[in-house]
Amino acid sequence: MSVVVLRTIALYLSIVLALRIMGKRQLGELQPTELVVTLLVSNIATLSIEDTNVPLLGSLLPIFTLVSCEVLMSVICLKSNTLRKIISGNPIIVIRDGVIDQKELKDLRWSIDDLNEQLRVNGIFDIAEVALAIVETSGSLTTYPKFANRPATASMLNVPQDGEPDMPPVTIISDGQLIRDALNICNLKPEWLDKVLDEKKLKIQDVFLMTCNRRAQYFLAIKEGREKA
Amino acid sequence: MIACITLVIIVMVCGWSVIQVGQLRDRMQADITAITDAIVAEDYDEVVWRVGQLTQYWEQEERHLMHIIRHAQIDNITLGVSRLTAMAVYQNTPDLMAELASISWQVSHIWESEQPSLKNMF
């Protein structure tokens, strides 16, 4: 039994390493080849876990072969437009100016329910609001609303920036650990941070989360035990 | 770059496993042939000594083979090899010859299975 446990741990670590080698794309946007690799890797890993007769290399070698082939294929697809189209296909426009392209929908084998579901995921409940809807090569739907239905932006409303920073808030303390680079991004000095914490009678280790923007506007969450103290 | 290096390592490991199994097959078949010759010559001291050598060699190689071959196949050969000494000592010639033939076939079969051929792929 202990052999099964040790093999499981070894394979788990190997698969984590394999997914890291394949990169973030693998987790976020599955192209057809990437989906195949993901399914195969999980099935191959179980071979060695379920059957101790099979040597561990019997799973590790195929997994890393698949990963390497997938990475090489991604690199080649990066350089070759033609191969990219062959492997991943093309994005397909299914709605133009509120009109559904029924032929494309049929070719995709999408029902109207599938389309409505994807539109709702995009926050759209009325097809008439859609200027463009594209089914990406990963199978997800992206939408571009008509002008009248787009969220208003500051530039549309002529709202002056008035010193509002373009950078979002960054985390400067995470679970009691100071992130020095984040302070530099906010153009703030450690002395400012010390002053803020001193005013609240806190140390860095007492802070669960602290975020700040370039206007020195911060959010602070104290660790639970420290709050009660 | 990492992918290329990984593939190269994988190819090297596969090459190493084929070479290992090839060397094992050659050595074991040579030993089995020598044992068979000794049996035919009725030199049972030689038979016992050579069987001891074969058993020792297999015990050493078994540990390396565990990493690349299904354990059930290795266990079958180990079972056969473990019986050889008693057969040799008690001069059970018919069973000894049969067991040696069986071990020889199994080792050859493992070697054939490791070859990167179309037959094995399909």
Side-chain angles (χ1 to χ4, degrees):
Chain A
M1 287 313 261
S2 56
V3 169
V4 170
V5 170
L6 288 170
R7 282 178 160 221
T8 307
I9 293 168
L11 281 160
Y12 164 71
L13 292 171
S14 304
I15 291 171
V16 167
L17 176 64
L19 289 175
R20 286 291 291 125
I21 292 170
M22 283 194 285
K24 287 187 172 54
R25 264 175 62 93
Q26 186 68 11
L27 302 172
E29 309 160 357
L30 286 180
Q31 297 294 331
T33 52
E34 292 161 345
L35 176 63
V36 167
V37 168
T38 307
L39 290 172
L40 281 174
V41 163
S42 61
N43 280 317
I44 290 169
T46 53
L47 286 175
S48 280
I49 294 172
E50 283 179 351
D51 186 359
T52 50
N53 236 336
V54 177
L56 203 57
L57 275 180
S59 281
L60 292 177
L61 282 182
I63 287 171
F64 283 100
T65 305
L66 281 171
V67 165
S68 305
C69 290
E70 177 55 35
V71 170
L72 282 172
M73 180 67 83
S74 303
V75 169
I76 295 168
C77 282
L78 209 58
K79 312 276 185 211
S80 165
N81 219 6
T82 313
L83 191 64
R84 195 159 62 238
K85 284 184 183 160
I86 292 169
I87 301 287
S88 302
N90 287 317
I92 293 171
I93 299 173
V94 289
I95 300 176
R96 261 193 197 89
D97 278 331
V99 175
I100 301 171
D101 190 331
Q102 295 180 34
K103 185 189 172 298
E104 294 288 6
L105 217 57
K106 196 175 168 187
D107 289 342
L108 284 167
R109 293 191 305 281
W110 272 34
S111 67
I112 201 68
D113 293 332
D114 294 330
L115 180 63
N116 278 330
E117 184 186 331
Q118 288 299 315
L119 287 170
R120 286 194 298 271
V121 165
N122 280 274
I124 291 173
F125 288 78
D126 183 359
I127 291 177
E129 291 175 9
V130 178
L132 208 63
I134 303 169
V135 175
E136 306 293 350
T137 53
S138 62
S140 59
L141 184 76
T142 47
T143 53
Y144 187 64
K146 290 179 179 171
F147 181 80
N149 303 111
R150 280 175 221 158
T153 61
S155 63
M156 284 174 176
L157 299 171
N158 288 321
V159 175
Q161 190 164 353
D162 197 25
E164 242 345 277
D166 276 331
M167 280 286 294
V170 293
T171 303
I172 51 175
I173 300 177
S174 171
D175 203 11
Q177 304 274 343
L178 173 65
I179 303 167
R180 290 199 180 278
D181 290 344
L183 265 182
N184 295 336
I185 288 168
C186 294
N187 298 326
L188 294 167
K189 295 204 181 335
E191 292 78 21
W192 168 85
L193 179 64
D194 290 338
K195 187 178 163 211
V196 166
L197 293 177
D198 284 341
E199 277 168 12
K200 295 185 183 296
K201 294 188 176 51
L202 292 170
K203 293 182 200 152
I204 290 175
Q205 297 88 323
D206 299 330
V207 176
F208 182 62
L209 176 67
M210 182 174 185
T211 60
C212 188
N213 63 18
R214 282 184 171 170
R215 296 183 87 179
Q217 294 163 331
Y218 61 87
F219 165 82
L220 187 71
I222 305 170
K223 283 187 181 175
E224 273 181 1
R226 180 65 183 84
E227 264 176 353
K228 285 175 187 163
Chain B
M1 183 62 136
I2 293 175
C4 291
I5 293 169
T6 310
L7 274 176
V8 166
I9 292 171
I10 287 168
V11 168
M12 283 171 61
V13 167
C14 292
W16 171 82
S17 75
V18 169
I19 291 168
Q20 275 287 107
V21 174
Q23 284 174 349
L24 172 90
R25 182 199 65 155
D26 293 342
R27 168 72 191 264
M28 286 192 73
Q29 285 192 336
D31 284 354
I32 288 168
T33 306
I35 294 169
T36 311
D37 290 343
I39 292 170
V40 167
E42 293 184 5
D43 185 354
Y44 291 104
D45 289 335
E46 176 80 358
V47 169
V48 170
W49 180 77
R50 285 204 176 269
V51 162
Q53 293 294 298
L54 181 70
T55 307
Q56 235 178 3
Y57 176 71
W58 174 253
E59 279 167 11
Q60 282 164 15
E61 291 302 310
E62 190 186 359
R63 270 177 275 146
H64 303 307
L65 288 177
M66 288 288 210
H67 300 304
I68 51 179
I69 307 292
R70 288 185 78 94
H71 300 173
Q73 285 181 294
I74 296 172
D75 289 345
N76 284 339
I77 297 175
T78 305
L79 187 66
V81 166
S82 68
R83 297 171 63 193
L84 292 178
T85 306
M87 288 180 200
V89 164
Y90 292 104
Q91 296 180 16
N92 184 349
T93 312
D95 285 350
L96 181 58
M97 292 287 271
E99 197 65 62
L100 286 168
S102 168
I103 291 168
S104 176
W105 183 88
Q106 286 180 74
V107 168
S108 276
H109 181 67
I110 288 175
W111 177 82
E112 277 166 19
S113 305
E114 285 297 301
Q115 298 308 299
S117 63
L118 282 174
K119 176 189 158 196
N120 287 333
M121 271 170 60
F122 291 104

